Amino acid sequence: MAIKANASDSRTRSSVSIFIIIGMCCFFYILGAWQKSGFGRGDSIAVEITKQTDCTVLSNLNFETHHSGTYADDLSDSQVQTFEPCHDRFTDYTPCQDQSRAMTFPRENMNYRERHCPPDEEKLSCLIPAPRGYVAPFPWPKSRDYVPYANVPYKSLTVEKAVQNWVQYEGNVFRFPGGGTQFPQGADTYINQLASVIPIANGTVRTALDTGCGVASWGAYLLKRNVLAMSFAPRDSHEAQVQFALERGVPAVIGVLGTIQLPYPSRAFDMAHCSRCLIPWGSNDGMYMMEVDRVLRPGGYWVLSGPPINWKTNYQAWQRTKDDLEEEQRKIEEIAALLCWDKVSEKGEIAIWRKRINGDSCPRKQGNSHVSVCESGDADDVWYKPMKPCVTPLPEVNSPEEFAGGQLKPFPDRLNAVPPRISSGDVPGASVDAYQEDNRLWRKHVKAYKKVNKYLDNGRYRNIMDMNAGFGSFAAAIDSPKLWVMNVVPTVAEKSMLSVVYERGLIGIYHDWCEAFSSYPRTYDLIHANGVFSLYKNKCKMEDILIEMDRLLRPEGAVIFRDEVDVLMKVKRMASGMRWNTKMVDHEDGPLVPEKILFAVKQYWAGGNKTKEE
């Protein structure tokens, strides 16, 4: 009996212990949640912050498109209106590539087509209107092939390039058959030719640079092969080339190889491409090819199609003399040899070179007098720096088989792998632990964003601009075949991480947000601004950056601001006068965190207002 009693007592004590443990767990869980909410300690500051920031359910902020394409005249509340619409003639305004200003600069080496931004006193303080009848673009991939005529109402290319299948006008839309001057059978067939030599299919080639891109059909058709092409072309006499590319949802910027370096880091691209891009590659002592060499990754490929390749067959069609074309190709071959590029293929009008994987295998290292090596310094410090006819040296290697700077994994493995520049310690202040923590943090942030904006990665937004990209972790967290991200690394950032962004298989660009971005209006479906206004505090006006964001954002596009609460309160007040609907929400960790998130949606409105003459 005693034994039974002891067993019974033990069971009772065990049950009581379990009950006490469960009770304590529940108590501390409730207490933790209570304290995290900001009310557990009677925290009046948290209550006040919540009231000030209006952190409520986003009941009046809709991310869907609603307009029918009809003209909207007065869509703003006169009591809060701060910024007036610009005159309709500014519909396609590109401040730093303005045509009238460009013509005042020298034409030598395309200087006049480079960035020339207006001084502060000439900056517009009004909102750029969309063209009358503007409609929401088609979702990807339909937008690759079709663009509403009302959005880019220019027909000149449909006539000038009619036989080359660039673009065709069909009723109320433009259709892009995927043709080009050098690929009359279509971009897919052309890319298949390249893929027979270049490892495009297995993820080895992920980032590409297209110089003189036209309407960017090459980049558009590479997207479905999981290759991101940064396309650029000048704002030239051909109406709407780059604008068409952007309206299609293809990565592109206004740019030119002229007198200043390209706004990309060294060793960024797996492939570079020129399809009849009209760049004089052999001139200026090979300076343009040397700049391509700077941004081309060791082992990367350079593709040149069109003149002067296969000139013996085509010189009459190109309306140029044999001697002229022969000399042009001779110069290109000579410079390629100095750069230690190996020609791996020449078939028809397509020639392909491959950059050596390191400098040790290059004979020019042995004091070749025909080529100059760039002075030691930061090869990624390129903002407004003059281009020079010199070769950018590669990092040292320990064996002939080693890739200079480290070999990258095929995509998508490289997206979240530790980039070689971080693992080797080449990026000051960037450790492996900091990189991995940044990835974890942005996965958490993006998960919280999706709870507010359920359209974030369902195809509603084809392209996103991250104005302060850091490691590129936001883009990695939101990675989707339905969209791409332009990762902007501000030139004033404490740590320049654009080289890391590219090693992850993402694309981006250097930029100073005190100036206008090199793009047409209505370029992006969504803009992400993390800490931008804190970064630019006392550097330039908040309203100038907001006006530029409005210029870049499509009607009914969205913005996600992330910053300190006092900064976002100022942004919120200004945005209310810009025809933006806004709503502030707490940080995902609760109201006690001083960092907040401001969601905004740009209202639909279009040009046609005849009352404002400028």
Side-chain angles (χ1 to χ4, degrees), residues 83 86 124-128 541-553 578 580:
F83 301 99
C86 300
L124 296 181
S125 58
C126 50
L127 306 179
I128 302 298
K541 296 179 181 178
M542 179 182 287
E543 54 264 39
D544 287 345
I545 298 177
L546 281 168
I547 289 173
E548 175 62 6
M549 292 173 70
D550 184 85
R551 186 184 75 89
L552 294 173
L553 191 64
M578 295 175 61
W580 288 11

Side-chain angles (χ1 to χ4, degrees), residues 499-539:
S499 60
V500 172
V501 169
Y502 273 94
E503 287 194 337
R504 302 186 72 169
L506 304 168
I507 59 172
I509 194 168
Y510 293 114
H511 183 64
D512 183 352
W513 287 112
C514 289
E515 300 180 357
F517 193 73
S518 292
S519 185
Y520 282 86
R522 303 170 299 281
T523 298
Y524 289 90
D525 301 331
L526 185 144
I527 297 176
H528 182 245
N530 171 45
V532 171
F533 294 100
S534 290
L535 179 64
Y536 277 91
K537 186 178 180 180
N538 301 324
K539 292 182 175 65

Side-chain angles (χ1 to χ4, degrees), residues 324-335:
D324 180 33
L325 288 163
E326 184 179 16
E327 177 61 14
E328 183 179 345
Q329 178 146 0
R330 186 195 67 77
K331 286 183 178 179
I332 290 173
E333 301 280 6
E334 181 182 83
I335 297 163

Side-chain angles (χ1 to χ4, degrees), residues 325-536:
L325 288 163
E326 184 179 16
E327 177 61 14
E328 183 179 345
Q329 178 146 0
R330 186 195 67 77
K331 286 183 178 179
I332 290 173
E333 301 280 6
E334 181 182 83
I335 297 163
L338 290 175
L339 294 171
C340 293
W341 293 356
D342 296 319
K343 182 181 276 189
V344 293
S345 175
E346 181 173 336
K347 186 176 181 181
E349 295 174 22
I350 303 174
I352 302 173
W353 286 263
R354 189 181 186 218
K355 181 176 177 177
R356 300 279 181 96
I357 64 172
N358 59 55
D360 284 4
S361 59
C362 183
R364 62 169 158 75
K365 185 179 179 182
Q366 311 301 324
N368 192 310
S369 60
H370 296 291
V371 64
S372 172
V373 177
C374 299
E375 296 179 3
S376 60
D378 188 355
D380 299 343
D381 182 16
V382 295
W383 188 245
Y384 283 117
K385 296 297 170 60
M387 199 184 304
K388 296 178 181 178
C390 61
V391 178
T392 302
L394 292 172
E396 296 293 329
V397 295
N398 297 315
S399 71
E401 294 78 27
E402 183 181 349
F403 278 73
Q407 187 171 9
L408 298 177
K409 294 183 178 181
F411 195 85
D413 291 345
R414 73 170 75 165
L415 182 63
N416 290 303
V418 177
R421 298 198 206 207
I422 290 181
S423 59
S424 64
D426 288 344
V427 181
S431 66
V432 173
D433 288 344
Y435 168 77
Q436 292 175 337
E437 172 61 19
D438 194 68
N439 278 332
R440 184 201 65 78
L441 189 64
W442 279 105
R443 284 193 291 268
K444 174 182 170 182
H445 290 338
V446 169
K447 184 177 180 181
Y449 291 164
K450 291 179 180 179
K451 291 180 180 178
V452 176
N453 186 347
K454 63 182 180 181
Y455 300 101
L456 204 55
D457 61 353
N458 76 342
R460 165 77 173 83
Y461 308 112
R462 306 164 304 161
N463 55 1
I464 298 174
M465 171 177 280
D466 191 358
M467 295 177 67
N468 186 16
F471 289 107
S473 299
F474 166 78
I478 203 172
D479 180 57
S480 167
K482 299 177 182 178
L483 59 84
W484 55 269
V485 178
M486 178 69 77
N487 293 279
V488 180
V489 172
T491 57
V492 301
E494 183 180 349
K495 299 176 183 176
S496 180
M497 299 292 181
L498 192 56
S499 60
V500 172
V501 169
Y502 273 94
E503 287 194 337
R504 302 186 72 169
L506 304 168
I507 59 172
I509 194 168
Y510 293 114
H511 183 64
D512 183 352
W513 287 112
C514 289
E515 300 180 357
F517 193 73
S518 292
S519 185
Y520 282 86
R522 303 170 299 281
T523 298
Y524 289 90
D525 301 331
L526 185 144
I527 297 176
H528 182 245
N530 171 45
V532 171
F533 294 100
S534 290
L535 179 64
Y536 277 91

